[in-house]
Amino acid sequence: MAPTLLELAHWSTWAVCAVIKLPQLAAVLAAGSALGVSTGSLLLELAGFLVFLRYQIYYGYPLQTYLEYPIIIAQDVILLLFILHFSGNKKRALFYAVIFWGGWYMITLRKWIIDLALNLCTFISAASKLAQLQCLWQTKDSGQVSALTWSMSAYTCATRIFTTIMTMNDLGVLIRFITMLILNIWVTATILHYRKTKKTD
């Protein structure tokens, strides 16, 4: 029973992650605007995902426990390019690419660096969610922010809590997913709150 549930958790996570950013991308493209979407949040999220992916690869964890990260990273990069395009900051894309590429190699120079990076990764990823919350609170408008994308993120965190317990039992990874689950639910609830408030005005 447990192996079947584990496989189901892996496959459902991959399926959700294959389309996780598409609602957000569609909303931004349809509006021709990135109103409400925090660039800082997206950059922090991307940094967190890159560090987490590098950590998983470095320690040789099973591919099925992190296969969704390259997919999500690719979608985040595309979303970032659209946000930079609509905000008139396309020239920053090269700067961000160099920083992320350099960081990808720097964090594995020593074992203690990658271990520290994972611990910081939880804070960085949490900061990305808090940056999005701050943007929502300041504007009091969910704008083009997709509740579906954020709820799918909450789902994948829940499945990864299960798969982490079943396969790796890595406390740092488990703490990261629990923290992200709570924050993803909070962001989703905030988006829905402002969407409801806007409709009743």
Side-chain angles (χ1 to χ4, degrees):
M1 177 77 168
T4 304
L5 285 176
L6 187 61
E7 285 300 311
L8 178 63
H10 286 312
W11 281 100
S12 69
T13 300
W14 300 331
V16 168
C17 288
V19 297
I20 198 164
K21 297 293 180 172
L22 294 185
Q24 185 65 72
L25 283 162
V28 168
L29 285 174
S33 162
L35 177 69
V37 181
S38 169
T39 306
S41 172
L42 186 60
L43 289 168
L44 289 168
E45 179 181 72
L46 194 51
F49 286 161
L50 286 166
V51 168
F52 190 71
L53 175 62
R54 192 65 164 159
Y55 178 87
Q56 297 273 6
I57 293 168
Y58 183 86
Y59 279 105
Y61 284 137
L63 180 63
Q64 62 265 36
T65 63
Y66 64 88
L67 184 61
E68 70 272 16
Y69 281 90
I71 298 165
I72 299 171
I73 289 167
Q75 292 176 60
D76 265 354
V77 167
I78 293 166
L79 180 58
L80 179 62
L81 291 173
F82 281 124
I83 290 170
L84 293 174
H85 171 74
F86 289 126
S87 65
N89 293 318
K90 287 188 279 191
K91 292 180 182 178
R92 290 187 181 177
L94 179 60
F95 172 74
Y96 294 140
V98 169
I99 295 296
F100 286 131
W101 180 81
W104 175 263
Y105 289 100
M106 298 279 290
I107 62 174
T108 56
L109 291 176
R110 299 270 188 264
K111 181 185 176 305
W112 68 267
I113 297 173
I114 191 73
D115 292 338
L116 177 63
L118 177 71
N119 292 323
L120 293 175
C121 169
T122 300
F123 292 109
I124 290 168
S125 294
S128 80
K129 313 303 182 209
L130 293 172
Q132 184 60 60
L133 281 167
Q134 181 183 21
C135 185
L136 290 166
W137 293 332
Q138 285 176 343
T139 63
K140 296 188 183 342
D141 183 1
S142 57
Q144 310 317 316
V145 184
S146 170
L148 181 57
T149 292
W150 285 93
S151 61
M152 288 192 294
S153 293
Y155 172 78
T156 61
C157 286
T159 60
R160 284 306 176 206
I161 289 169
F162 173 71
T163 61
T164 299
I165 290 169
M166 297 298 290
T167 58
M168 301 184 287
N169 212 13
D170 185 318
L171 185 60
V173 172
L174 190 59
I175 289 169
R176 180 184 188 280
F177 283 126
I178 291 169
T179 304
M180 295 309 102
L181 173 63
I182 293 165
L183 291 171
N184 283 327
I185 290 170
W186 192 2
V187 172
T188 303
T190 305
I191 293 166
L192 294 174
H193 168 74
Y194 286 125
R195 192 146 301 147
K196 182 179 174 186
T197 304
K198 190 174 183 181
K199 284 181 182 176
T200 58
D201 286 347

